[in-house]
């Protein structure tokens, strides 16, 4: 492949401008920042903490939306849309809840040239505005379960360091808000939703997750308990990628959500709320990408295959015609394909550009390949190129995309599993975290112990894995020395 | 159908509570308000002018989104998401534009407990925030055309009387923002988009539209010209249901959107913006619904068929079992079907309820029907019921849904066409509008004449139909007596 190498050189020359200038290992945060902007996933807006989702990233969100939406609808959830403005008095109706959110609410105080009588919160989450209506709509057991979801934007005026996809002042998410006649139904749903999230992350994003229950300190403001999905990032920090909260009757009591059961007896309802956000994209990007750029799971890659024709003067027209024919064939087969026939850029420049943008498969087509009825195929997560008969491409490509997905998931899962270490003392936990790992520890579960430990070390509880090995009799809490009640994951967290 | 009639009586008794208490003819506005709330399309929120889209209406918006989204994507448009916050200084960058929107902007002035340095507008439309980025992204003719769209929420702090689906302080829409190297490409796209809108309204909502060019006075703030789709409502008022604006180079100059052409010469780009909103739902509801309630076009009805089993004691189990079997068959065939087997409500009550909610087809199944292997079928827009063999239902239902759509469209189109009257004087226009019609007039196009006429009569220009008959030589403007330059539609408008 002399042709390609020749091209590559020129590509390298330009790399300093367009490619990544730091590695994942030497400066993870700078690597991430360069990666997402240079690959054209996002851009900055004039408002700090608010970012632009460009087509390449919004496409991924659309795929997540389509996939998860089908799952929850098949399960009986209905979509709706509630206003984003919440009167201050309404937001304050559930005490724990408002305490949790008030510090980061953006307030509208003026409409046109008129000062509003009561200021309006832009939803930091929609429990309060939705449950105000639920109280009106729910009268009898016939009205239950009520299972609504909305895909919308959310505002939380963060004062910590904002990071695109991870910590934002405005972000997109879905929020499910469901009401049941019994606690059992609600608890069952809360767990089922975690399963849907796990499937979505695995099937679309090739990201393995740690699923479990949050500690009392870390649970949602107003919830009885919170379940979470956590992913491990290459810098050793955990990223909470979604939550499913069982609210018990807390909000039902605050908002007076009551129903008459079959015996005409009035009861407070049981509720859940659950959500994932575009943070899922951040999880995916950080998990898979490398020092050449993005590595996109094929199912969510806006462009799955790029064709780069090698346009030498003596055979330009033939090669271009063959490339166009190939493009049309792949497109007709439902593959998301792009033909990069720009003459202003060298092949090598293009190779670097499309690797930076994470396109799963690159096909190179030169005069000699054409003679042999072949193309060179380069799969994004592999080092070697291979020569493939054109006639085989329509079967080879879907297979390659599928195995790339499998490889990505397996690699991430192996890494996740080997990053969890059992520990039984503060020191062991700190040592594990120092090595970019997560510690599985016997814990008493007290909020005081967690708060003190976090203050001292920056390490916090993540979740208590659903899959709990039995605690040996007499096992002591790694923090307090009191009786441990469960295994819990601890680590640094975003 | 004695059974059904018996049921109906009880239904009638309850109608005073649940059904509509005014007719479309006696009080259109009150009829609309009752209709959309009682049919559970929407509900009020605690914030005036902000409404809740319940699942039955949000479903319709999702169908519109899916349909139109596929059309624009196939045409090369890409989806994205821009932040909803626009710094005040940025909003002010295009002069006409800010003048048009400033009176109705909602402002965020506080984040958490901190006063913001610069107040932030919540997007009343996204030209300014998007074009600020476009100026950075567009460098060369290789970057054009750039055709982005977003589905999002919009805030316009209206001080006029708000109406659900029609005039709202927060609403959902899509906004396309496209950039081209040449005026021709831009103008062509502006017209093509109108075609997409017309298809969407026709194919999904069964609503015929008047397409044409807005007057200078009525065009978008900052546009060179605006194209619009207008629908005629039963109260004789026109409803502007969508717009497609050609912005010329106005915004390109304000935001410095320049590109180098093939000869390395720098040029300002040409732009369009275009959108439809959930106002499309209002258009559809007003067009088709009647004094029994909603009439939903079958393609967007969340429930297309409702099965009401007639549960008499002596044959309850057999009938219920047959209804469940029928439900499963229809569902498996991809029909959106609901089985209403509540025993707490009489059949007649249910008939009224589902007519109110606009379900296109009702199937009634009683013991005698079951004996004959038949069901009674009632189509929402028809007076008569018919008896159909169960074995024929899987072919009969899709056919009925299709012909119902056709009937609805034809009826609305006939009504629209017969409501347009030619006029050549102020008096004739006023007389036409008095009869709930729209006037087609020869007009000089001057803003002054339009402003004066509107002030005097409340009648305004709608659009100049694309399909223009030639003006006979010497035709005079119906307002000024000057030379008329085109045919234009005038009427009252929402």
């Amino acid at each position: 492949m002399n042709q390609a190498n020749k091209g590559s050189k020129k590509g390298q020359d330009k790399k300093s401008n367009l490619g990544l200038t730091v590695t994942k290992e030497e400066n993870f945060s700078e690597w991430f920042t360069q990666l997402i902007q240079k690959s054209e996933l996002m851009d900055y807006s004039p408002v700090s903490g608010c970012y632009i989702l460009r087509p390449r990233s919004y496409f991924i969100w659309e795929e997540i939306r389509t996939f998860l939406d089908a799952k929850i609808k098949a399960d009986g959830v209905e979509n709706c849309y509630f206003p984003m403005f919440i009167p201050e008095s309404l937001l304050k109706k559930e005490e724990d809840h408002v305490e949790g959110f008030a510090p980061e609410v953006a307030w509208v105080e003026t409409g046109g040239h008129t000062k509003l009588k009561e200021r309006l919160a832009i939803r930091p989450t929609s429990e309060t505005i939705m449950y105000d209506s639920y109280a009106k709509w729910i009268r009898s057991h016939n009205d239950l379960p009520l299972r609504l979801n909305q895909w919308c934007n959310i505002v939380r005026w963060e004062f910590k360091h904002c990071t695109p996809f991870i910590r934002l002042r405005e972000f997109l998410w879905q929020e499910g808000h469901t009401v049941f006649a019994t606690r059992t139904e609600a608890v069952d749903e809360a767990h089922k939703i975690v399963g849907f999230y796990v499937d979505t992350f695995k099937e679309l994003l090739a990201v393995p997750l740690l699923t479990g229950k949050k500690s009392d300190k870390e649970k949602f403001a107003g919830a009885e308990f919170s379940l979470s999905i956590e992913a491990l990032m290459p810098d050793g920090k955990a990223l909470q990628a979604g939550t499913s909260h069982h609210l018990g009757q807390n909000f039902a009591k605050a908002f007076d959500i009551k129903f008459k059961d079959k015996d005409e007896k009035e009861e407070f309802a049981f509720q859940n709320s659950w959500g994932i956000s575009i943070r899922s994209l951040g999880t995916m990007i950080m998990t898979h990408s490398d020092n050449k750029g993005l590595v996109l799971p094929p199912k969510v890659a806006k462009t799955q295959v790029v064709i780069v024709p090698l346009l030498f003067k003596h055979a330009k027209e033939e090669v271009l015609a063959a490339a166009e024919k190939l493009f049309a064939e792949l497109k007709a087969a439902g593959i998301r394909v792009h033909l990069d026939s720009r003459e202003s850029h060298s092949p090598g420049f293009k190779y670097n550009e499309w690797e930076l943008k994470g396109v799963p498969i690159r096909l190179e087509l030169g005069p000699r390949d054409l003679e042999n009825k072949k193309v060179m195929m380069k799969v994004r997560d592999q080092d070697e190129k291979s020569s493939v008969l054109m006639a085989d491409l329509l079967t080879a490509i879907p297979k390659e995309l599928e195995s790339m997905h499998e490889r990505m998931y397996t690699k991430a899962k192996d890494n996740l599993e080997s990053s969890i270490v059992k520990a039984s003392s503060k020191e062991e936990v700190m040592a594990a975290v120092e090595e970019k790992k997560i510690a599985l520890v016997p814990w008493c579960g007290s909020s005081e112990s967690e708060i003190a430990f976090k203050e001292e070390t920056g390490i916090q509880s993540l979740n208590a894995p659903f899959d709990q090995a039995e605690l040996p009799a007499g096992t002591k809490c790694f923090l307090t020395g009191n009786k441990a009640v469960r295994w819990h994951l601890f680590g640094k967290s975003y």
Side-chain angles (χ1 to χ4, degrees), chain A:
Chain A
M1 286 310 300
N2 263 332
Q3 305 157 357
N5 289 341
K6 225 164 91 187
S8 263
K9 259 198 190 162
K10 195 171 171 200
Q12 292 292 345
D13 296 339
K14 293 221 180 182
K15 207 182 170 182
S16 48
N17 290 323
L18 299 171
L20 306 175
T21 61
V22 290
T23 66
K24 199 171 173 176
E25 295 75 19
E26 67 193 16
N27 188 340
F28 184 74
S29 144
E30 171 65 16
W31 166 83
F32 181 69
T33 305
Q34 286 194 14
L35 173 70
I36 54 180
Q37 203 182 3
K38 292 186 172 185
S39 64
E40 297 180 358
L41 285 185
M42 58 69 67
D43 206 347
Y44 294 88
S45 90
V47 179
S48 160
C50 294
Y51 309 102
I52 299 157
L53 294 176
R54 300 183 70 171
R56 284 175 194 284
S57 60
Y58 192 76
F59 180 86
I60 302 170
W61 183 240
E62 285 184 308
E63 291 295 301
I64 293 173
R65 179 178 169 144
T66 304
F67 186 91
L68 180 62
D69 207 56
K71 263 189 192 292
I72 61 176
K73 279 181 178 160
D75 197 57
V77 175
E78 298 178 298
N79 282 341
C80 64
Y81 188 77
F82 277 73
M84 72 166 162
F85 294 127
I86 307 174
E88 185 165 16
S89 54
L90 187 58
L91 192 70
K92 289 185 168 163
K93 227 166 165 179
E94 212 280 350
E95 222 172 290
D96 292 340
H97 186 70
V98 68
E99 263 181 45
F101 285 103
E104 50 185 37
V105 166
W107 296 100
V108 173
E109 285 148 308
T110 308
H113 304 298
T114 309
K115 207 86 191 155
L116 303 184
K117 277 185 202 142
E118 182 181 11
R119 60 183 191 158
L120 302 173
I122 303 181
R123 62 182 160 224
T125 180
S126 299
E127 275 75 5
T128 54
I129 184 111
M130 290 175 83
Y131 303 168
D132 184 57
S133 288
Y134 283 15
K136 282 186 280 174
W137 296 341
I138 294 168
R139 291 273 166 266
S140 118
H141 63 95
N142 276 327
D143 302 320
L144 296 180
L146 177 66
R147 300 175 70 200
L148 301 187
N149 174 68
Q150 65 181 12
W151 296 88
C152 63
N153 55 346
I154 286 291
V155 173
R156 295 183 186 170
W157 210 257
E158 298 276 357
F159 290 92
K160 280 189 262 183
H161 185 63
C162 285
T163 308
F165 296 113
I166 304 295
R167 175 169 284 115
L168 318 88
R169 287 179 167 172
E170 183 195 0
F171 59 88
L172 301 180
W173 81 350
Q174 60 68 218
E175 49 180 329
H177 292 272
T178 55
V179 193
F180 297 89
T182 64
R183 181 183 302 271
T184 314
E185 284 172 279
V187 170
D188 285 354
E189 190 218 44
H191 281 89
K192 181 162 60 178
I193 295 296
V194 171
F196 291 165
Y197 290 160
V198 168
D199 286 352
T200 306
F201 276 73
K202 180 179 176 184
E203 299 300 328
L204 288 188
L205 308 180
V207 171
L209 297 169
L210 300 165
T211 56
K213 194 184 267 193
K214 300 298 278 186
S215 69
D216 274 352
K217 177 189 172 288
E218 290 292 326
K219 74 180 183 186
F220 179 68
E224 200 155 289
F225 65 77
S226 290
L227 310 176
S228 79
I229 53 176
E230 315 267 342
L232 175 63
M233 298 297 98
D235 59 352
K237 283 160 95 174
L239 188 62
Q240 178 179 294
T243 43
S244 179
H245 312 294
H246 174 54
L247 308 175
Q249 296 176 313
N250 295 343
F251 282 87
K253 285 174 182 165
F255 285 87
D256 204 32
I257 304 177
K258 283 186 288 200
F259 67 97
K260 280 195 174 147
D261 67 14
K262 281 177 186 163
D263 309 319
E264 295 282 308
K265 224 180 83 194
E266 241 183 15
E267 304 271 11
F268 285 109
F270 294 88
Q271 294 180 264
N272 293 335
S273 70
W274 32 271
I276 60 169
S277 74
I278 52 156
R279 186 176 256 211
S280 52
L281 271 69
T283 317
M284 178 203 78
I285 298 162
M286 286 187 178
T287 299
H288 300 301
S289 299
D290 63 22
N291 291 325
K292 290 192 223 158
L294 280 184
V295 182
L296 289 178
K299 284 177 201 162
V300 296
K302 187 162 189 295
T303 306
Q304 296 174 307
V305 176
V306 62
I307 303 170
V308 180
L310 308 178
L311 302 171
F312 297 93
K313 264 188 192 155
H314 70 279
K316 200 164 94 178
E317 273 163 40
E318 298 93 298
V319 168
L320 200 56
E324 277 164 4
K325 185 163 166 276
L326 181 57
F327 169 80
E329 279 169 12
L330 298 186
K331 194 177 167 187
I335 295 164
R336 295 190 294 270
V337 59
H338 176 71
L339 169 60
D340 184 355
S341 52
R342 287 174 297 174
E343 294 190 43
S344 48
H345 295 76
S346 72
F349 180 91
K350 293 177 183 177
Y351 299 169
N352 288 331
E353 179 177 342
W354 296 113
E355 285 190 340
L356 177 62
K357 289 181 177 167
V359 173
I361 291 179
R362 177 176 83 229
L363 301 178
E364 308 165 7
L365 178 61
R368 195 158 340 145
D369 304 309
L370 190 56
E371 262 170 44
N372 300 324
K373 300 188 177 165
K374 287 186 167 182
V375 295
M376 288 303 286
M377 179 191 293
K378 170 75 174 67
V379 183
R380 179 63 179 84
D381 70 327
Q382 305 265 282
D383 290 329
E384 300 300 314
K385 297 186 192 183
S386 60
S387 182
V388 183
L389 272 173
M390 278 199 194
D392 293 343
L393 277 178
L394 281 187
T395 51
I397 288 176
K399 216 189 287 175
E400 279 298 334
L401 294 175
E402 185 60 36
S403 26
M404 178 175 167
H405 180 93
E406 292 303 324
R407 276 194 307 273
M408 289 172 76
Y409 182 73
T410 306
K411 188 177 162 194
K413 197 165 186 335
D414 289 348
N415 179 56
L416 179 63
E417 282 167 3
S418 66
S419 299
I420 297 169
V421 291
K422 275 200 184 176
S424 54
S425 68
K426 276 164 77 160
E427 293 68 30
E428 284 176 20
V429 171
M430 287 158 68
V433 167
E434 188 60 32
E435 286 174 26
K436 301 187 178 178
K437 291 178 193 262
I438 287 174
L440 181 67
V441 290
W443 185 36
C444 69
S446 82
S447 295
E448 301 71 32
S449 67
E450 175 173 9
I451 293 167
F453 187 52
K454 189 175 179 185
E455 239 162 57
E456 186 190 337
T457 62
I459 298 168
Q460 66 170 74
S461 77
L462 305 174
N463 64 27
F466 289 144
D467 196 5
Q468 286 269 331
E470 210 173 321
L471 275 175
T475 305
K476 287 187 176 157
C477 169
F478 83 109
L479 281 176
T480 60
N482 294 337
K483 189 172 179 296
V485 298
R486 61 170 177 268
W487 292 102
H488 210 103
L489 292 168
F490 272 74
K492 293 227 173 170
S493 181
Y494 274 87

